[in-house]
Amino acid sequence: MKAVATKLVLTLCLFLTTSSLVAQDQRLRMGSRLPRDAFLSDFQLMSDILKQAHPGMYLHTSKEQFADDFAETVEKLRTAGNRPSLRQFFLLATEALDPIRCGHTYLLPPPSVQDKLQYGGKLFPIPIKVFGDKFYVDHRKTDLPFGTEIISINDRSTAELLSILGPLVSQDGFVESFRETYIEDNFSELYAIRFGFTESFDLQVRRSDQSAVETISIPAKRASNLYDQAEPRASREGRELSFRIDFPNDSTAFIAIDTFDSGNGSPPFRLYKSTLKKFFSVVDRHEDSFDSMIIDLRYNDGGYTRNEMLLYSYLTNNPFAEVDNAEILTSELPYKQHLDREYVTKGLAKYYQRTLSKDFEESYNGTLQISEDGNPIIPPNRKAFDGKIYVLIGGRTYSAGSSFCSRLKAAHPNVEFIGEETGGASGAFTAGTLLMYTLPNSRCKLAVPIIRYQTVKQTKSADRGVMPDYPVKQTLEDFRAGKDTVLQAALELVKDD
């Protein structure tokens, strides 16, 4: 392996070629072939953007190791022929990003491919649930009965598919739980990116544990029809609302919060705020009765820190700051000419720069650290709950969802976590302001988070998620029976305590 990545030089001839490639954006497909130097140029730009903007590049991989890995991946592209395919580039570029081990740093296919994945492309039509390395049908209205085991798809075993598709999913640190759940939720799209669109799928299936293995063929379904399905996955029945309140017994209050996001398809902030106010007002009025609380964050994939802080204010009696520390490399957005203006408009870019300049100040080590004004002290809510707390967690507990768990675990003396490791890292992670760049030749989109957060002080390496005090996984038997294994375990713990 080379110690230093070779600097790529874009010639005038390539520049002229690039101009015509940009005009062809709408015709790009994963099988499209472009000059190798065009892809190499995008590789170099990707590396330069990351080095100038990403403050967490070396959280989990040393600078030297990253340079070696990147150079090795570039060499693979160099030996991929004179005109590699867009799919070859995409897979190698994703491989190059993997050593950063940041779930908020990822690559998207060009808009023409994304449109096909969302609307016109033919996709695998059956939602899946993963148990170990096996797939099961996770829907009650498909070509196969709910709970059917899928043994192979187009002559590839499900274990092989997990191994192939896993590297397409970025993750925090060495947390594997996020990848599994992401593949569950996005299997159809990931399969199409990796193998292409197809009209049908040959499957080996077993309809029940006692059944013989069958070989069948099912037609692909247009992407728009998949998104229009009215019925949810079987595993999410009863989870149609993002916020859910229940009182399973006279002494226990339950709240599920599936997102800390607001708008853009998520409930507005006012609904989230009113839900918390209603829930904790009821608990406060009956404080002599409610001595236990279950908070379900298994589907909380993050969102705004404001929402995270609001929930935490109801669970502490002490003032607190949003983070222990946060830093950026620069308040200027690098490579503005390559920012994707659909995601980052000129007005939004100016807002980002003003906010970063106001909230961060120069530090002794050359980075910009969050200031006191940018990290104000937040008072606890006067109706804060001080009883026993049980938090349900899993691979979808991510970003602000996982950060909330880190804070609660470090500061709350009376909390227990039940379920599986969170999908987000428990220590430092990079998120916050997310910049989206367009790589000019491949037209792929590069997502780069530019704020490195440290939610709480770390006393040891934190390249894993928040670990449960009581590890509990959904069982296949309960999945097929429609039972919630993790919630039932929590209720049993409450009863025992």
Side-chain angles (χ1 to χ4, degrees):
M1 293 184 290
K2 297 180 181 177
V4 181
T6 305
K7 182 71 175 177
L8 305 174
V9 180
L10 194 62
T11 63
L12 176 61
C13 179
L14 179 56
F15 173 79
L16 295 174
T17 303
T18 301
S19 301
S20 63
L21 292 174
V22 172
Q24 298 172 13
D25 181 22
Q26 293 307 311
R27 295 195 296 273
L28 281 173
R29 297 291 183 263
M30 294 303 282
S32 298
R33 295 186 178 275
L34 301 179
R36 178 180 55 201
D37 284 349
F39 286 137
L40 288 171
S41 174
D42 278 3
F43 248 92
Q44 186 61 52
L45 177 61
M46 183 172 74
S47 175
D48 292 342
I49 290 171
L50 290 167
K51 289 174 183 175
Q52 291 195 32
H54 199 302
M57 277 186 67
Y58 310 119
L59 269 173
H60 306 287
T61 303
S62 69
K63 186 175 183 179
E64 294 74 21
Q65 187 61 53
F66 181 85
D68 281 355
D69 292 344
F70 194 87
E72 186 175 8
T73 308
V74 168
E75 194 60 31
K76 291 179 184 178
L77 183 58
R78 285 186 175 280
T79 58
N82 292 327
R83 293 180 64 84
S85 70
L86 178 58
R87 177 172 287 106
Q88 286 175 291
F89 167 78
F90 185 86
L91 295 176
L92 287 172
T94 302
E95 178 183 322
L97 293 175
D98 188 61
I100 300 175
R101 298 194 172 276
C102 170
H104 292 88
T105 305
Y106 55 86
L107 203 65
L108 294 175
S112 54
V113 176
Q114 291 185 53
D115 286 346
K116 241 192 150 179
L117 289 169
Q118 289 182 305
Y119 303 108
K122 297 290 188 68
L123 301 179
F124 185 75
I126 300 175
I128 63 164
K129 180 73 175 174
V130 178
F131 284 91
D133 58 4
K134 296 181 179 181
F135 293 179
Y136 295 86
V137 175
D138 189 13
H139 209 281
R140 300 191 188 278
K141 293 186 179 180
T142 68
D143 295 322
L144 289 169
F146 165 66
T148 295
E149 181 186 354
I150 300 174
I151 298 169
S152 68
I153 302 173
N154 290 346
D155 296 324
R156 288 187 173 88
S157 70
T158 54
E160 182 183 1
L161 288 170
L162 287 172
S163 177
I164 292 172
L165 299 181
L168 294 180
V169 182
S170 58
Q171 64 178 9
D172 281 359
F174 294 87
V175 180
E176 288 295 334
S177 59
F178 178 75
R179 273 186 170 161
E180 178 181 303
T181 55
Y182 191 93
I183 291 173
E184 276 186 357
D185 295 343
N186 301 277
F187 177 79
S188 298
E189 294 85 350
L190 291 171
Y191 188 97
I193 289 172
R194 180 60 181 84
F195 299 110
F197 299 100
T198 183
E199 293 293 326
S200 64
F201 297 89
D202 295 328
L203 310 181
Q204 281 190 316
V205 301
R206 184 184 287 113
R207 295 175 189 265
S208 70
D209 292 341
Q210 290 75 39
S211 300
V213 175
E214 303 175 46
T215 300
I216 64 172
S217 182
I218 60 172
K221 187 173 286 188
R222 194 172 295 278
S224 56
N225 295 335
L226 285 181
Y227 288 109
D228 289 342
Q229 282 183 331
E231 298 84 5
R233 290 169 174 260
S235 60
R236 297 187 189 179
E237 290 171 351
R239 290 181 172 271
E240 290 79 10
L241 299 177
S242 297
F243 314 128
R244 300 176 300 284
I245 291 173
D246 190 18
F247 301 95
N249 58 53
D250 292 340
S251 62
T252 306
F254 170 92
I255 185 169
I257 301 172
D258 288 351
T259 183
F260 283 137
D261 210 350
S262 298
N264 299 317
S266 298
F269 176 71
R270 65 179 181 277
L271 177 59
Y272 172 72
K273 184 178 180 180
S274 66
T275 300
L276 292 188
K277 182 177 180 181
K278 173 184 175 183
F279 175 71
F280 283 97
S281 292
V282 171
V283 173
D284 184 62
R285 284 200 305 271
H286 303 278
E287 59 179 335
D288 292 337
S289 300
F290 293 116
D291 54 20
S292 299
M293 180 179 294
I294 298 174
I295 303 175
D296 189 350
L297 299 179
R298 285 174 293 170
Y299 282 81
N300 192 310
D301 59 359
Y304 291 103
T305 53
R306 172 181 66 172
N307 294 0
E308 174 195 348
M309 296 302 102
L310 182 59
L311 176 59
Y312 187 75
S313 72
Y314 281 102
L315 302 172
T316 182
N317 292 312
N318 301 312
F320 61 97
E322 180 180 320
V323 293
D324 178 61
N325 190 27
E327 69 176 50
I328 58 176
L329 295 182
T330 174
S331 59
E332 291 292 320
L333 307 187
Y335 292 94
K336 291 190 187 72
Q337 69 274 28
H338 293 296
L339 284 171
D340 188 301
R341 292 306 180 185
E342 182 180 349
Y343 291 86
V344 187
T345 64
K346 289 184 178 181
L348 185 57
K350 290 179 180 179
Y351 169 76
Y352 283 162
Q353 291 189 159
R354 286 197 307 270
T355 303
L356 294 171
S357 297
K358 177 170 66 74
D359 290 346
F360 289 82
E361 56 191 14
E362 191 168 350
S363 175
Y364 68 93
N365 62 2
T367 62
L368 296 171
Q369 304 284 328
I370 195 164
S371 64
E372 290 185 3
D373 290 340
N375 191 30
I377 300 300
I378 302 170
N381 192 287
R382 62 182 181 83
K383 296 181 180 179
F385 179 73
D386 59 3
K388 186 67 178 283
I389 301 172
Y390 302 85
V391 184
L392 311 187
I393 57 175
R396 292 180 180 84
T397 312
Y398 183 68
S399 194
S402 184
S403 174
F404 171 84
C405 293
S406 297
R407 177 188 305 280
L408 201 61
K409 193 177 187 74
H412 204 290
N414 210 14
V415 62
E416 303 280 5
F417 290 86
I418 306 167
E420 300 176 69
E421 179 183 10
T422 62
S426 62
F429 65 100
T430 315
T433 301
L434 188 72
L435 303 181
M436 189 70 75
Y437 290 92
T438 298
L439 302 180
N441 300 309
S442 65
R443 309 304 292 170
C444 289
K445 310 295 182 183
L446 174 66
V448 182
I450 61 172
I451 304 178
R452 173 177 166 175
Y453 291 101
Q454 186 82 44
T455 304
V456 295
K457 283 185 170 64
Q458 291 298 134
T459 57
K460 59 182 179 179
S461 175
D463 52 11
R464 299 295 301 268
V466 175
M467 295 296 185
D469 300 293
Y470 297 93
V472 182
K473 294 190 70 166
Q474 173 83 342
T475 66
L476 176 59
E477 181 182 11
D478 283 354
F479 165 70
R480 284 173 164 165
K483 296 179 181 178
D484 189 334
T485 311
V486 179
L487 178 57
Q488 290 305 311
L491 291 171
E492 287 298 319
L493 279 172
V494 170
K495 186 168 64 176
D496 292 344
D497 286 348

